[in-house]
Short mmCIF file of all heavy atoms in Angstrom, two decimals:
data_model
loop_
_atom_site.label_atom_id
_atom_site.label_comp_id
_atom_site.label_asym_id
_atom_site.label_seq_id
_atom_site.Cartn_x
_atom_site.Cartn_y
_atom_site.Cartn_z
N ALA A 1 -16.68 -14.32 -28.66
CA ALA A 1 -17.47 -13.56 -27.67
C ALA A 1 -16.50 -12.80 -26.80
O ALA A 1 -15.54 -13.33 -26.23
CB ALA A 1 -18.29 -14.60 -26.81
N ARG A 2 -16.85 -11.53 -26.61
CA ARG A 2 -16.03 -10.68 -25.74
C ARG A 2 -16.55 -10.70 -24.36
O ARG A 2 -17.79 -10.68 -24.17
CB ARG A 2 -15.97 -9.25 -26.28
CG ARG A 2 -15.21 -9.21 -27.61
CD ARG A 2 -14.95 -7.77 -27.92
NE ARG A 2 -14.08 -7.69 -29.14
CZ ARG A 2 -14.53 -7.46 -30.35
NH1 ARG A 2 -15.79 -7.30 -30.52
NH2 ARG A 2 -13.69 -7.44 -31.34
N ARG A 3 -15.69 -10.83 -23.38
CA ARG A 3 -16.12 -10.83 -21.98
C ARG A 3 -16.54 -9.44 -21.54
O ARG A 3 -15.78 -8.47 -21.77
CB ARG A 3 -14.97 -11.32 -21.11
CG ARG A 3 -15.40 -12.16 -20.00
CD ARG A 3 -14.26 -12.71 -19.25
NE ARG A 3 -13.52 -11.66 -18.60
CZ ARG A 3 -12.47 -11.84 -17.88
NH1 ARG A 3 -11.91 -13.02 -17.75
NH2 ARG A 3 -11.86 -10.81 -17.29
N GLN A 4 -17.71 -9.30 -21.00
CA GLN A 4 -18.16 -8.02 -20.53
C GLN A 4 -17.64 -7.78 -19.09
O GLN A 4 -17.84 -8.62 -18.25
CB GLN A 4 -19.68 -8.00 -20.55
CG GLN A 4 -20.30 -8.08 -21.96
CD GLN A 4 -20.00 -6.89 -22.81
OE1 GLN A 4 -19.89 -5.78 -22.29
NE2 GLN A 4 -19.73 -7.09 -24.05
N ILE A 5 -17.00 -6.63 -18.88
CA ILE A 5 -16.49 -6.27 -17.59
C ILE A 5 -17.39 -5.21 -16.98
O ILE A 5 -17.67 -4.24 -17.68
CB ILE A 5 -15.04 -5.82 -17.67
CG1 ILE A 5 -14.16 -6.94 -18.26
CG2 ILE A 5 -14.54 -5.34 -16.35
CD1 ILE A 5 -12.79 -6.52 -18.53
N GLU A 6 -17.82 -5.45 -15.78
CA GLU A 6 -18.70 -4.42 -15.18
C GLU A 6 -17.92 -3.22 -14.75
O GLU A 6 -16.81 -3.31 -14.21
CB GLU A 6 -19.35 -5.14 -13.90
CG GLU A 6 -20.34 -4.22 -13.27
CD GLU A 6 -21.00 -4.92 -12.04
OE1 GLU A 6 -21.07 -6.16 -12.04
OE2 GLU A 6 -21.44 -4.21 -11.14
N ASN A 7 -18.47 -2.08 -15.03
CA ASN A 7 -17.84 -0.83 -14.65
C ASN A 7 -18.06 -0.54 -13.20
O ASN A 7 -19.16 -0.33 -12.69
CB ASN A 7 -18.45 0.33 -15.50
CG ASN A 7 -17.68 1.60 -15.38
OD1 ASN A 7 -16.75 1.68 -14.68
ND2 ASN A 7 -18.14 2.59 -16.06
N THR A 8 -16.94 -0.45 -12.44
CA THR A 8 -17.06 -0.23 -11.00
C THR A 8 -16.44 1.12 -10.59
O THR A 8 -16.12 1.32 -9.41
CB THR A 8 -16.30 -1.31 -10.20
OG1 THR A 8 -14.97 -1.40 -10.60
CG2 THR A 8 -16.95 -2.69 -10.51
N VAL A 9 -16.25 2.01 -11.53
CA VAL A 9 -15.61 3.28 -11.24
C VAL A 9 -16.47 4.14 -10.26
O VAL A 9 -15.93 4.70 -9.35
CB VAL A 9 -15.41 4.11 -12.54
CG1 VAL A 9 -14.90 5.48 -12.24
CG2 VAL A 9 -14.44 3.33 -13.42
N LYS A 10 -17.78 4.14 -10.42
CA LYS A 10 -18.63 4.94 -9.52
C LYS A 10 -18.54 4.45 -8.07
O LYS A 10 -18.50 5.20 -7.14
CB LYS A 10 -20.11 4.88 -9.99
CG LYS A 10 -20.34 5.60 -11.28
CD LYS A 10 -20.31 7.05 -11.07
CE LYS A 10 -20.69 7.74 -12.41
NZ LYS A 10 -20.56 9.19 -12.32
N GLU A 11 -18.49 3.10 -7.88
CA GLU A 11 -18.40 2.58 -6.54
C GLU A 11 -17.03 2.85 -5.94
O GLU A 11 -16.96 3.22 -4.74
CB GLU A 11 -18.64 1.07 -6.59
CG GLU A 11 -20.00 0.67 -7.00
CD GLU A 11 -20.05 -0.69 -7.67
OE1 GLU A 11 -19.03 -1.44 -7.57
OE2 GLU A 11 -21.11 -1.07 -8.18
N LYS A 12 -16.03 2.81 -6.70
CA LYS A 12 -14.65 3.17 -6.23
C LYS A 12 -14.58 4.66 -5.86
O LYS A 12 -13.96 5.04 -4.90
CB LYS A 12 -13.57 2.83 -7.24
CG LYS A 12 -13.38 1.36 -7.51
CD LYS A 12 -12.68 0.69 -6.33
CE LYS A 12 -12.43 -0.75 -6.62
NZ LYS A 12 -11.82 -1.46 -5.57
N GLN A 13 -15.25 5.50 -6.66
CA GLN A 13 -15.22 6.92 -6.37
C GLN A 13 -15.89 7.17 -5.06
O GLN A 13 -15.43 7.98 -4.23
CB GLN A 13 -15.89 7.69 -7.49
CG GLN A 13 -15.05 7.90 -8.69
CD GLN A 13 -15.78 8.55 -9.81
OE1 GLN A 13 -17.02 8.67 -9.82
NE2 GLN A 13 -15.09 9.09 -10.79
N LYS A 14 -17.04 6.54 -4.81
CA LYS A 14 -17.76 6.69 -3.49
C LYS A 14 -16.91 6.22 -2.37
O LYS A 14 -16.84 6.90 -1.33
CB LYS A 14 -19.05 5.91 -3.51
CG LYS A 14 -20.15 6.50 -4.32
CD LYS A 14 -21.42 5.62 -4.26
CE LYS A 14 -22.49 6.12 -5.19
NZ LYS A 14 -23.67 5.26 -5.21
N LEU A 15 -16.25 5.16 -2.53
CA LEU A 15 -15.36 4.58 -1.47
C LEU A 15 -14.23 5.51 -1.13
O LEU A 15 -13.98 5.82 0.07
CB LEU A 15 -14.77 3.23 -1.92
CG LEU A 15 -13.74 2.66 -0.98
CD1 LEU A 15 -14.39 2.10 0.27
CD2 LEU A 15 -13.01 1.53 -1.71
N PHE A 16 -13.58 6.11 -2.12
CA PHE A 16 -12.46 6.98 -1.86
C PHE A 16 -12.84 8.38 -1.50
O PHE A 16 -12.00 9.11 -0.94
CB PHE A 16 -11.50 6.95 -3.06
CG PHE A 16 -10.66 5.73 -3.15
CD1 PHE A 16 -11.02 4.71 -3.97
CD2 PHE A 16 -9.56 5.59 -2.37
CE1 PHE A 16 -10.24 3.55 -4.09
CE2 PHE A 16 -8.75 4.41 -2.45
CZ PHE A 16 -9.16 3.41 -3.32
N GLN A 17 -14.06 8.84 -1.76
CA GLN A 17 -14.46 10.20 -1.45
C GLN A 17 -15.18 10.30 -0.12
O GLN A 17 -15.34 11.45 0.39
CB GLN A 17 -15.36 10.73 -2.57
CG GLN A 17 -14.58 11.06 -3.87
CD GLN A 17 -15.48 11.57 -4.97
OE1 GLN A 17 -16.68 11.56 -4.87
NE2 GLN A 17 -14.85 11.95 -6.04
N GLU A 18 -15.61 9.23 0.49
CA GLU A 18 -16.28 9.34 1.73
C GLU A 18 -15.35 9.81 2.87
O GLU A 18 -14.16 9.44 2.87
CB GLU A 18 -16.99 8.03 2.12
CG GLU A 18 -16.09 6.90 2.46
CD GLU A 18 -16.89 5.63 2.78
OE1 GLU A 18 -17.99 5.45 2.25
OE2 GLU A 18 -16.33 4.80 3.53
N ASP A 19 -15.86 10.53 3.80
CA ASP A 19 -15.02 11.11 4.84
C ASP A 19 -15.09 10.17 6.08
O ASP A 19 -16.03 10.29 6.88
CB ASP A 19 -15.52 12.51 5.22
CG ASP A 19 -14.63 13.20 6.19
OD1 ASP A 19 -13.45 12.78 6.33
OD2 ASP A 19 -15.09 14.17 6.85
N ASN A 20 -14.12 9.29 6.18
CA ASN A 20 -14.14 8.35 7.37
C ASN A 20 -12.87 8.50 8.15
O ASN A 20 -12.56 7.63 8.97
CB ASN A 20 -14.33 6.93 6.82
CG ASN A 20 -13.28 6.50 5.81
OD1 ASN A 20 -12.39 7.23 5.50
ND2 ASN A 20 -13.41 5.31 5.26
N GLY A 21 -12.05 9.53 7.92
CA GLY A 21 -10.88 9.75 8.75
C GLY A 21 -9.65 9.02 8.32
O GLY A 21 -8.61 9.17 8.97
N LEU A 22 -9.76 8.16 7.34
CA LEU A 22 -8.56 7.38 6.92
C LEU A 22 -7.81 8.13 5.82
O LEU A 22 -8.41 8.85 4.96
CB LEU A 22 -8.98 6.06 6.30
CG LEU A 22 -9.52 4.98 7.25
CD1 LEU A 22 -10.04 3.82 6.47
CD2 LEU A 22 -8.48 4.58 8.20
N PRO A 23 -6.50 8.04 5.83
CA PRO A 23 -5.72 8.66 4.71
C PRO A 23 -6.02 7.87 3.41
O PRO A 23 -6.47 6.76 3.38
CB PRO A 23 -4.24 8.42 5.13
CG PRO A 23 -4.27 7.52 6.34
CD PRO A 23 -5.63 7.42 6.82
N ILE A 24 -5.82 8.54 2.30
CA ILE A 24 -6.22 8.04 0.99
C ILE A 24 -5.53 6.74 0.69
O ILE A 24 -6.07 5.88 0.02
CB ILE A 24 -5.98 9.10 -0.09
CG1 ILE A 24 -6.69 8.68 -1.38
CG2 ILE A 24 -4.55 9.34 -0.35
CD1 ILE A 24 -8.12 8.73 -1.40
N HIS A 25 -4.29 6.57 1.13
CA HIS A 25 -3.55 5.35 0.80
C HIS A 25 -3.99 4.16 1.63
O HIS A 25 -3.47 3.03 1.41
CB HIS A 25 -2.03 5.60 0.92
CG HIS A 25 -1.61 5.99 2.30
ND1 HIS A 25 -1.61 7.27 2.72
CD2 HIS A 25 -1.11 5.24 3.33
CE1 HIS A 25 -1.18 7.32 3.96
NE2 HIS A 25 -0.88 6.14 4.36
N LEU A 26 -4.94 4.33 2.55
CA LEU A 26 -5.42 3.17 3.38
C LEU A 26 -6.91 2.95 3.16
O LEU A 26 -7.46 2.07 3.79
CB LEU A 26 -5.13 3.41 4.83
CG LEU A 26 -3.68 3.46 5.25
CD1 LEU A 26 -3.55 3.79 6.71
CD2 LEU A 26 -3.00 2.18 4.89
N LYS A 27 -7.53 3.71 2.27
CA LYS A 27 -8.98 3.53 2.11
C LYS A 27 -9.33 2.33 1.29
O LYS A 27 -10.54 1.89 1.23
CB LYS A 27 -9.54 4.77 1.41
CG LYS A 27 -9.70 5.96 2.31
CD LYS A 27 -10.50 7.04 1.66
CE LYS A 27 -10.67 8.19 2.66
NZ LYS A 27 -11.56 9.17 2.16
N GLY A 28 -8.41 1.60 0.71
CA GLY A 28 -8.68 0.41 -0.07
C GLY A 28 -8.97 -0.79 0.76
O GLY A 28 -9.36 -1.84 0.26
N GLY A 29 -8.73 -0.72 2.09
CA GLY A 29 -8.98 -1.86 2.97
C GLY A 29 -7.74 -2.52 3.52
O GLY A 29 -6.67 -1.91 3.60
N SER A 30 -7.93 -3.78 3.92
CA SER A 30 -6.85 -4.49 4.60
C SER A 30 -5.66 -4.75 3.67
O SER A 30 -4.50 -4.75 4.14
CB SER A 30 -7.34 -5.76 5.23
OG SER A 30 -7.83 -6.60 4.21
N LYS A 31 -5.90 -4.95 2.40
CA LYS A 31 -4.79 -5.18 1.46
C LYS A 31 -3.95 -3.93 1.39
O LYS A 31 -2.68 -4.07 1.37
CB LYS A 31 -5.35 -5.53 0.10
CG LYS A 31 -4.31 -5.94 -0.88
CD LYS A 31 -4.91 -6.57 -2.13
CE LYS A 31 -5.47 -5.56 -3.02
NZ LYS A 31 -5.82 -6.06 -4.34
N ASP A 32 -4.51 -2.77 1.35
CA ASP A 32 -3.74 -1.52 1.34
C ASP A 32 -2.90 -1.37 2.61
O ASP A 32 -1.77 -0.91 2.60
CB ASP A 32 -4.63 -0.30 1.11
CG ASP A 32 -5.07 -0.12 -0.28
OD1 ASP A 32 -4.50 -0.81 -1.20
OD2 ASP A 32 -5.93 0.73 -0.56
N ALA A 33 -3.53 -1.69 3.74
CA ALA A 33 -2.76 -1.58 5.03
C ALA A 33 -1.61 -2.51 5.07
O ALA A 33 -0.56 -2.17 5.51
CB ALA A 33 -3.74 -1.87 6.21
N LEU A 34 -1.86 -3.72 4.56
CA LEU A 34 -0.73 -4.71 4.55
C LEU A 34 0.37 -4.28 3.64
O LEU A 34 1.56 -4.34 4.00
CB LEU A 34 -1.31 -6.07 4.11
CG LEU A 34 -0.30 -7.23 4.05
CD1 LEU A 34 0.19 -7.56 5.45
CD2 LEU A 34 -0.95 -8.44 3.40
N LEU A 35 0.08 -3.81 2.44
CA LEU A 35 1.09 -3.26 1.52
C LEU A 35 1.82 -2.10 2.09
O LEU A 35 3.06 -1.95 1.96
CB LEU A 35 0.43 -2.93 0.18
CG LEU A 35 0.02 -4.03 -0.70
CD1 LEU A 35 -0.75 -3.55 -1.87
CD2 LEU A 35 1.25 -4.85 -1.18
N TYR A 36 1.11 -1.24 2.81
CA TYR A 36 1.77 -0.03 3.46
C TYR A 36 2.72 -0.45 4.52
O TYR A 36 3.89 -0.01 4.57
CB TYR A 36 0.65 0.88 4.03
CG TYR A 36 1.16 2.03 4.78
CD1 TYR A 36 1.78 3.08 4.14
CD2 TYR A 36 1.10 2.07 6.17
CE1 TYR A 36 2.24 4.17 4.83
CE2 TYR A 36 1.56 3.19 6.89
CZ TYR A 36 2.14 4.22 6.19
OH TYR A 36 2.64 5.30 6.91
N ARG A 37 2.28 -1.38 5.34
CA ARG A 37 3.19 -1.86 6.45
C ARG A 37 4.39 -2.58 5.89
O ARG A 37 5.49 -2.44 6.39
CB ARG A 37 2.43 -2.75 7.42
CG ARG A 37 1.46 -1.95 8.24
CD ARG A 37 0.79 -2.83 9.26
NE ARG A 37 -0.23 -2.05 9.98
CZ ARG A 37 -1.43 -2.44 10.16
NH1 ARG A 37 -1.89 -3.57 9.70
NH2 ARG A 37 -2.26 -1.64 10.88
N ALA A 38 4.20 -3.38 4.87
CA ALA A 38 5.32 -4.10 4.25
C ALA A 38 6.31 -3.07 3.62
O ALA A 38 7.55 -3.27 3.71
CB ALA A 38 4.80 -5.02 3.19
N THR A 39 5.82 -2.05 2.98
CA THR A 39 6.68 -1.02 2.38
C THR A 39 7.45 -0.30 3.45
O THR A 39 8.68 -0.08 3.27
CB THR A 39 5.83 -0.06 1.56
OG1 THR A 39 5.09 -0.76 0.58
CG2 THR A 39 6.69 0.98 0.87
N ILE A 40 6.82 0.11 4.50
CA ILE A 40 7.48 0.84 5.59
C ILE A 40 8.54 -0.12 6.24
O ILE A 40 9.70 0.34 6.50
CB ILE A 40 6.50 1.24 6.65
CG1 ILE A 40 5.57 2.34 6.08
CG2 ILE A 40 7.20 1.81 7.89
CD1 ILE A 40 6.33 3.57 5.56
N THR A 41 8.22 -1.39 6.45
CA THR A 41 9.20 -2.30 7.05
C THR A 41 10.43 -2.49 6.16
O THR A 41 11.55 -2.44 6.62
CB THR A 41 8.51 -3.64 7.27
OG1 THR A 41 7.37 -3.44 8.10
CG2 THR A 41 9.47 -4.62 7.93
N LEU A 42 10.21 -2.69 4.88
CA LEU A 42 11.29 -2.87 3.93
C LEU A 42 12.16 -1.63 3.86
O LEU A 42 13.38 -1.62 3.75
CB LEU A 42 10.82 -3.24 2.52
CG LEU A 42 10.31 -4.69 2.38
CD1 LEU A 42 9.65 -4.86 1.04
CD2 LEU A 42 11.47 -5.64 2.56
N THR A 43 11.50 -0.43 3.94
CA THR A 43 12.22 0.83 3.86
C THR A 43 13.13 1.01 5.07
O THR A 43 14.33 1.40 4.95
CB THR A 43 11.28 2.04 3.75
OG1 THR A 43 10.48 1.85 2.58
CG2 THR A 43 11.97 3.32 3.67
N VAL A 44 12.61 0.71 6.26
CA VAL A 44 13.36 0.83 7.52
C VAL A 44 14.55 -0.13 7.50
O VAL A 44 15.67 0.28 7.83
CB VAL A 44 12.48 0.65 8.75
CG1 VAL A 44 13.29 0.48 10.00
CG2 VAL A 44 11.51 1.81 8.85
N PHE A 45 14.32 -1.40 7.21
CA PHE A 45 15.41 -2.36 7.18
C PHE A 45 16.40 -2.04 6.10
O PHE A 45 17.64 -2.22 6.31
CB PHE A 45 14.86 -3.80 7.01
CG PHE A 45 14.34 -4.33 8.28
CD1 PHE A 45 13.04 -4.77 8.36
CD2 PHE A 45 15.13 -4.48 9.41
CE1 PHE A 45 12.51 -5.31 9.55
CE2 PHE A 45 14.65 -4.99 10.60
CZ PHE A 45 13.32 -5.42 10.64
N GLY A 46 15.96 -1.55 4.94
CA GLY A 46 16.88 -1.17 3.88
C GLY A 46 17.78 -0.02 4.28
O GLY A 46 18.96 0.00 3.98
N ALA A 47 17.18 1.00 4.92
CA ALA A 47 17.91 2.17 5.36
C ALA A 47 18.96 1.72 6.42
O ALA A 47 20.12 2.23 6.43
CB ALA A 47 17.01 3.23 5.92
N ALA A 48 18.53 0.88 7.33
CA ALA A 48 19.44 0.40 8.37
C ALA A 48 20.65 -0.38 7.73
O ALA A 48 21.79 -0.23 8.16
CB ALA A 48 18.72 -0.45 9.42
#
């Protein structure tokens, strides 16, 4: 039996295309914001 995976592309398209004033790299929610902040922090400390 093959596992059926629900197609969520339409929902993701709606999420990323709505105009809510957020940049595209933060529209994924709190996980995106956390990854963004961690990346910036590592970049600053690495450059220093």
